[in-house]
Amino acid sequence: MTDGTVTRRAAVVALGTLASRLLGALRDVVIAARFQSSATDLFFIAFTIPNALRVLLGEGAASAAFVPVFSEVREKRGAEASARFLQNILGALLVVLAVVTALGILLAEPLVMLYTDRLDEDRLLQTVDLTRVTFPYIFFMGLAALGAGALHAHGRFWAPSFAPTLLNFSLIGAAFWLEPFAKSWGLPAVGALAIGAIVGGLLQVVALAPSLRSVLLLRVPRFDVRDLYVQKSFALLIPLLAGLGVHQLNVLLSRRFASSLAAGSVSYLYYGQRLVELPQGMFAMAISMAALPTLSRLRSRGSDEAVRAVFMESLSMVLFVSIPASFALFTLAEPTVDVLLRRGEFGTHAALETAKSLKVMSLGVWATASARTIVPLFHAYNDTRSPVVAAFVNLVVFVAAALLLMEHQGHVGIAVALTLASGAQLLAYIFLLGRRNGSIPLRPLGAKVGRMVLASVAMTTLVLGLQEAFERLLHWSANSVLSWTACVSVGMIGYLFFAGLLRCEELNTLRRIFGRYRT
C-alpha cells in the first residue's frame, strides 16, 4: 500500500476535482459577470447555511463516521453485511436530513440573522427567501455524500470524483436561463442560483446510482437503529459534529464580520477562498478522500506501521503540490483575478479587493492542505475528538485576529485572520498526532520540504522574469490573458524541472503513477 496506491487513487480524485474546480472557476466567472457583488453577497450568505450543514451531515459524516465503520464491517463480516449496514445507515440519515431540511426552511430568518450584520430590511428578507429555496440542497447532498463514501470504500473513485461537476453545470445554466423563473417565484434575479443549487444536488444523487448498483449497494433504505454498527457510526458522529460545528462557527463569524463591512466584502472573500481552494481541492482533498479507506482498512488489520507509511507518503505528496501553489497564487494574485473574474458587473475595484484577499489567503494554502491530510489519520483510529480540539484552536485564533485587524484592514484583515488560524490549527494537529501516534519524523520531512521550497523559489524567479520579459519585449501586461497563461504554464513546467534537479522523491512517485496509467 506504500507504492503509490493512495496517490494513484488520489490522481483519479484529483482529476475529477480539477474538472469540478475549473468548472467552478467558470461558474464564478459567470456569476460575477451576471450579478452585482451586492446581489451575490445575499446568495453566498444564503448558500453558506445549507452548505455548512452539507459539511456536517454529508461529507463530514461520510468521511469520519461512515467510511471507517463501513470498511471495518467489510473487512470483518463481508460484503453482504456491509451492504445491510449501508441500508440501515441510509434509513437513519434520510430521517435526519428530512428533519434538518424542514427546520431550516422554517427557521430561515433567525439562521440568516446569525450570519449577517447591518443588512437593511429588504435585503434581509431577500436573503431569507433565498435561504428557504436553497435549503433542500442539504437533503440531496447528504445522500450523495453517503453514496460517494460507500463507493470510496469499494475502491470506486471515478463516479464520486466527477459527480460534483454537475452542481457547477447546474449553476452556470441557472445563471443564464432561470432568472425569469426565479422572478416568477417572487425572488430577486440572483434567486436563479438558489434553484440551480437544488437541481445540482439532485443530479449528483442520480449520477451515483449506476455505480452503486454495479457494486450491489443500491438497495431500499431500512430504519434499524438497533444495528450496532449504526450506533457506532452515530457515536463517532457526535464529537465530529462538535468539531465541524466549531469550524462552521468560524465560517459564520467570517460571513458576519464581512457583512458588517463595505458592500461587496462577502463576495471579495468568497472569490478569494474559491481560488485558493483550487489547489487544495485538486490534490489535498483528493489525497484525504483516497487515503481514508486505505488507512481504515489497514488500521482494522492492526497494521500500524503500514498506516504510518501511507500517511507519510500522502503528506509529502500534498506538500509537493501545495507549497508551489502557495508561491504561485501569491505571485500571480492580481493577474489571476483579472483574467478569471474581471468582466461584466465585476469591475476593476472588485478585482483589486479580491486580489488582496487572495494574496493573503494564498500564504496558508500549504497549511490548510496539510491539516486536511492529517485528519483522516485520526478518523482511521476512530478518533473524532482530537479534531474538535484543533478546530477550537482555529476558532480562537481567527476571532482574536479578525477583531484586532478588520477595523483598519477591512476584509483583508479577515483574510489574514483565516490564514493565521489555519497555521495554528495545523500546529495543534501535529501536537495531538504526536500524543496519539508518535511524532511526525520532522527531520526527513523537513529535508523534503526544503527541496520543495527551493524549487518553488526558483519557479517564482522564473515567472517574475518571464513577466518582465513579456512586458518589455512584447508589451504584454502582466494582467493580460496571454501573459498569465504563459506564466502559469511555464511555472508548472519549471517547478517540475527544478524538483527534478533537486531530486524530490515525490516526482518519482508521479512518474510511477503515470507510467502505470500509460501501460
Side-chain angles (χ1 to χ4, degrees), residues 7-271:
T7 314
R8 287 196 303 277
R9 288 178 173 177
V12 174
V13 181
L15 186 61
T17 306
L18 176 61
S20 180
R21 297 298 184 187
L22 291 176
L23 279 169
L26 177 60
R27 176 193 80 190
D28 292 338
V29 168
V30 170
I31 291 174
R34 296 280 295 177
F35 306 103
Q36 292 183 346
S37 297
S38 58
T40 56
D41 278 0
L42 305 186
F43 171 71
F44 293 148
I45 291 169
F47 190 57
T48 294
I49 300 171
N51 205 44
L53 291 171
R54 172 189 63 81
V55 175
L56 289 172
L57 298 176
E59 295 172 0
S63 66
F66 170 70
V67 172
V69 178
F70 186 85
S71 299
E72 179 184 344
V73 176
R74 282 194 71 213
E75 193 68 29
K76 295 181 177 179
R77 299 183 56 190
E80 180 59 29
S82 64
R84 288 197 302 271
F85 164 64
L86 177 60
Q87 285 181 282
N88 294 334
I89 198 74
L90 178 57
L93 186 62
L94 278 170
V95 174
V96 172
L97 290 172
V99 171
V100 168
T101 300
L103 288 175
I105 293 172
L106 290 172
L107 302 175
E109 184 170 351
L111 286 172
V112 168
M113 293 179 71
L114 285 174
Y115 279 79
T116 60
D117 190 21
R118 299 182 188 176
L119 284 181
D120 60 53
E121 184 177 356
D122 184 53
R123 285 167 60 80
L124 177 63
L125 291 176
Q126 288 181 1
T127 308
V128 170
D129 289 341
L130 291 172
T131 302
R132 288 193 171 118
V133 174
T134 309
F135 229 93
Y137 168 80
I138 176 58
F139 182 85
F140 297 117
M141 289 307 301
L143 297 179
L146 187 65
L151 291 171
H152 288 162
H154 268 266
R156 303 292 184 95
F157 289 88
W158 282 100
S161 300
F162 284 90
T165 61
L166 297 172
L167 174 64
N168 294 318
F169 278 121
S170 181
L171 289 172
I172 291 170
F176 283 111
W177 297 303
L178 292 187
E179 279 191 39
F181 191 60
K183 290 179 179 178
S184 71
W185 280 22
L187 297 171
V190 78
L193 301 177
I195 300 170
I198 300 175
V199 175
L202 175 60
L203 289 176
Q204 291 185 62
V205 175
V206 173
L208 294 177
S211 296
L212 289 167
R213 183 184 294 113
S214 70
V215 292
L216 306 179
L217 291 179
L218 193 63
R219 302 187 181 187
V220 177
R222 297 189 311 178
F223 186 77
D224 184 5
V225 293
R226 296 172 300 176
D227 185 324
L228 294 179
Y229 287 106
V230 171
Q231 294 175 12
K232 182 175 182 177
S233 289
F234 276 95
L236 291 172
L237 183 60
I238 292 171
L240 169 73
L241 291 178
L244 290 174
V246 172
H247 170 72
Q248 292 307 319
L249 182 58
N250 187 317
V251 174
L252 181 155
L253 290 172
S254 68
R255 292 288 188 271
R256 188 173 179 84
F257 290 159
S259 70
S260 70
L261 302 172
S265 294
V266 173
S267 295
Y268 305 150
L269 281 170
Y270 170 82
Y271 289 127

Side-chain angles (χ1 to χ4, degrees), residues 3-5 8 509-519:
D3 61 349
T5 299
R8 287 196 303 277
T509 302
L510 291 177
R511 287 177 182 142
R512 288 200 304 271
I513 294 168
F514 291 112
R516 294 187 186 192
Y517 282 149
R518 285 196 301 270
T519 57

Side-chain angles (χ1 to χ4, degrees), residues 190-458:
V190 78
L193 301 177
I195 300 170
I198 300 175
V199 175
L202 175 60
L203 289 176
Q204 291 185 62
V205 175
V206 173
L208 294 177
S211 296
L212 289 167
R213 183 184 294 113
S214 70
V215 292
L216 306 179
L217 291 179
L218 193 63
R219 302 187 181 187
V220 177
R222 297 189 311 178
F223 186 77
D224 184 5
V225 293
R226 296 172 300 176
D227 185 324
L228 294 179
Y229 287 106
V230 171
Q231 294 175 12
K232 182 175 182 177
S233 289
F234 276 95
L236 291 172
L237 183 60
I238 292 171
L240 169 73
L241 291 178
L244 290 174
V246 172
H247 170 72
Q248 292 307 319
L249 182 58
N250 187 317
V251 174
L252 181 155
L253 290 172
S254 68
R255 292 288 188 271
R256 188 173 179 84
F257 290 159
S259 70
S260 70
L261 302 172
S265 294
V266 173
S267 295
Y268 305 150
L269 281 170
Y270 170 82
Y271 289 127
Q273 287 175 317
R274 289 286 300 167
L275 290 169
V276 297
E277 283 173 2
L278 181 59
Q280 290 171 358
M282 180 180 167
F283 214 73
M285 288 183 66
I287 282 281
S288 175
M289 293 168 66
L292 181 59
T294 299
L295 292 172
S296 300
R297 186 164 56 253
L298 293 172
R299 172 57 186 146
S300 67
R301 296 174 183 172
S303 305
D304 289 337
E305 286 301 318
V307 168
R308 188 180 183 85
V310 168
F311 166 71
M312 291 305 300
E313 178 186 72
S314 301
L315 181 59
S316 64
M317 286 304 302
V318 163
L319 288 168
F320 184 71
V321 174
S322 60
I323 288 175
S326 288
F327 276 82
L329 284 171
F330 183 86
T331 304
L332 298 173
E334 290 184 13
T336 298
V337 173
D338 257 40
V339 169
L340 296 181
L341 296 174
R342 189 166 67 84
R343 58 184 52 81
E345 297 289 344
F346 198 87
T348 302
H349 176 73
L352 179 61
E353 296 304 317
T354 300
K356 290 177 182 177
S357 67
L358 173 59
K359 209 173 187 73
V360 171
M361 286 189 283
S362 68
L363 299 175
V365 166
W366 65 274
T368 302
S370 299
R372 287 179 175 176
T373 309
I374 294 174
V375 171
L377 186 59
F378 289 109
H379 292 168
Y381 282 87
N382 293 332
D383 179 2
T384 53
R385 291 177 175 82
S386 294
V388 176
V389 177
F392 185 74
V393 170
N394 180 301
L395 176 64
V396 171
V397 173
F398 168 72
V399 171
L403 291 175
L404 181 65
L405 297 172
M406 60 182 279
E407 182 177 355
H408 299 292
Q409 300 297 323
H411 70 281
V412 178
I414 298 176
V416 173
L418 289 169
T419 299
L420 292 175
S422 296
Q425 186 174 24
L426 176 60
L427 291 175
Y429 275 133
I430 292 172
F431 173 76
L432 294 167
L433 188 63
R435 293 185 61 183
R436 163 169 282 280
N437 298 87
S439 60
I440 295 175
L442 294 178
R443 182 171 295 179
L445 183 62
K448 291 182 178 182
V449 168
R451 288 192 287 271
M452 297 172 197
V453 170
L454 286 175
S456 299
V457 170

